[in-house]
Amino acid sequence: MPYPAPSHHRTERLDQDYDGIRRAARLLRQGGLVAFGTETVYGLGGLATSQRTVEHIFRAKGRPSFNPLISHFASAEAAFAEADMAIPLRDMAHALAQRFWPGPLTLILPRHAESRICRAVTAGLATLAVRVPKGRAVEELLRLTGEPIAAPSANRSGRVSPSTARHVLDELEGRIDAVLDTGPCTVGLESTVLDLTGPQPVLRRPGGVTLEELQDVCGPIIVAEHETAEDGTTRPNAPGQLSSHYAPSLPVRLDATHIKPGEAFLTFDNQKAEGPHPDLTLNLSPDGNVEEAARRLFASLRQLDQAAIRQGLTGIAVAPLPEAGLGRALKDRLKRAAAPRPTDQTSPPT
Ligand code: TXA
Ligand code: MG
């Protein structure tokens, strides 16, 4: 492990009432680490302007320091104040913000030379990832805090992103100051990462806003396939880091209609499969609703991980899923979250 464990003692569990949100904001302003729910997944937040706090975030997660973080803001104005945008770019960024913020979209923008976002957040890059998340409690929290909040997904590096406060505590209890329990996340998959720093927009990570919705606003978008690693890293893999905290992860077989021995079945709609373990079937959405499937995906993967330990599973067969819309992000996460990990691990997760 490249990072020693931070020496916290107790993680406060805060309710999303006035007192809870105020307490969370206070802890954040003091430089503490507070996890909170957004519409996508739970984030592990800290002041984006404090180098020391941001180092604590990386340490609590066990995240390699070269993988940059998203900064969260209460408004588009606050977010864009950190960026350096000339005219065509500024118009596009404003149009996207107008349509999708608050919401599950992250924009990569050129960093303003005088931005207060510290270097640890951007991993030294000349670019900046910004977003305005949606949700009554998180919006209130960001307003009360009044500072940009850096927040990666609140999981240990290499694990599935958390969609409930319970998931966060399972991963980070004792390593962070508090978790604000804002209930289960309503989207369930991370934000879409759209890179606006080149001549044409590039989709770096499919997510809660679909490619089709984005094209509606910005026209043609280049899709950077295969750029993402295990839990959403958009940078090329670099050798060297090894985390010993992987959840058991099973190989995923997509578009499956039969179950092989040792496989659990993750299905969708009314698809049934023949095979030896009908009891190990989870249905992401019996009604064939892709939004519901997205909401349930990460919790289902956690459940299958536990079943893998108990019952010695060797893989997950996944029924055919819709290709369009949120289906793209679903498939991306399925491939990455449970892809087999070599024992001589050379590529870092985040
Ligand atoms: O929905 C989300 O985006 C959640 C919630 C908490 O907001 N956050 C999240 O953060 O998923 P994280 O750290 O797990 O993923 C952030 C992604 C990573 O793939 C990172 O490489 C990319 O954003 N990223 C951040 N800054 C970047 C930059 N300047 N250029 C390219 N990619 C960047
Ligand atoms: Mg993540």
Side-chain angles (χ1 to χ4, degrees):
M1 278 282 290
Y3 303 100
S7 53
H8 283 104
H9 6 272
R10 198 172 71 83
T11 298
E12 293 177 40
R13 203 200 131 280
L14 304 172
D15 286 321
Q16 56 170 334
D17 54 16
Y18 180 70
D19 286 345
I21 296 172
R22 238 182 25 166
R23 172 83 182 137
R26 191 192 161 99
L27 286 168
L28 283 172
R29 275 201 308 270
Q30 290 170 344
L33 300 189
V34 179
F36 50 81
T38 73
E39 79 282 38
T40 59
V41 298
Y42 273 71
L44 167 49
L47 285 181
T49 49
S50 160
Q51 180 82 9
R52 195 160 165 267
T53 301
V54 174
E55 280 166 10
H56 287 162
I57 295 176
F58 279 93
R59 219 178 298 151
K61 261 189 80 105
R63 176 170 173 130
S65 59
F66 56 77
N67 192 9
L69 307 181
I70 299 170
S71 297
H72 298 66
F73 298 84
S75 69
E77 294 67 43
F80 292 158
E82 306 299 329
D84 186 6
M85 299 191 284
I87 262 304
L89 169 58
R90 199 190 308 164
D91 288 347
M92 186 178 282
H94 277 96
L96 288 163
Q98 181 76 27
R99 169 88 180 264
F100 299 111
W101 281 352
L105 175 65
T106 293
L107 298 178
I108 311 287
L109 302 170
R111 179 182 186 279
H112 196 283
E114 266 141 51
S115 169
R116 295 165 55 232
I117 305 298
C118 67
R119 294 287 172 182
V121 170
T122 57
L125 297 173
T127 58
L128 201 64
V130 297
R131 100 177 182 95
V132 178
K134 189 180 173 76
R136 182 193 62 81
V138 67
E139 290 177 45
E140 185 62 26
L141 176 64
L142 289 169
R143 260 196 305 276
L144 276 181
T145 308
E147 295 285 347
I149 298 299
S153 49
N155 50 286
R156 296 284 276 270
S157 190
R159 296 215 198 187
V160 172
S161 295
S163 50
T164 66
R166 182 70 255 163
H167 296 162
V168 173
L169 289 169
D170 287 347
E171 305 256 328
L172 297 169
E173 174 111 63
R175 299 173 75 88
I176 61 177
D177 295 294
V179 56
L180 181 65
D181 188 346
T182 53
C185 298
T186 55
V187 174
L189 299 176
E190 297 91 340
S191 62
T192 303
V193 177
L194 187 68
D195 187 343
L196 298 182
T197 61
Q200 212 182 316
V202 179
L203 181 74
R204 297 268 170 217
R205 177 176 75 181
V209 172
T210 66
L211 179 63
E212 293 84 348
E213 291 172 309
L214 290 175
Q215 280 165 336
D216 227 35
V217 176
C218 16
I221 294 174
I222 296 168
V223 177
E225 298 275 13
H226 311 303
E227 265 213 45
T228 46
E230 280 84 64
D231 84 336
T233 316
T234 54
R235 307 196 62 202
N237 288 334
Q241 264 84 9
L242 166 61
S243 169
S244 55
H245 298 286
Y246 290 134
S249 61
L250 306 173
V252 163
R253 201 161 58 78
L254 297 173
D255 300 318
T257 51
H258 286 263
I259 315 170
K260 295 179 184 167
E263 276 186 336
F265 188 47
L266 199 53
T267 188
F268 177 76
D269 207 352
N270 52 13
Q271 301 178 75
K272 299 211 169 20
E274 319 242 314
H277 297 297
D279 51 320
L280 287 178
T281 292
L282 289 182
N283 196 325
L284 289 172
S285 172
D287 297 330
N289 178 321
V290 71
E291 280 83 21
E292 180 179 39
R295 231 170 10 245
R296 288 189 181 170
L297 178 70
F298 288 147
S300 302
L301 288 174
R302 276 170 192 272
Q303 210 175 317
L304 289 175
D305 265 352
Q306 280 155 17
I309 295 171
R310 280 196 312 273
Q311 319 203 22
L313 296 181
T314 53
I316 304 173
V318 184
L321 297 169
E323 296 281 329
L326 271 183
R328 179 186 291 270
L330 265 175
K331 203 162 231 184
D332 174 81
R333 300 308 187 274
L334 272 166
K335 279 194 200 151
R336 289 189 288 102
R341 296 193 166 109
T343 43
D344 61 334
Q345 179 77 36
T346 51
S347 59
T350 82

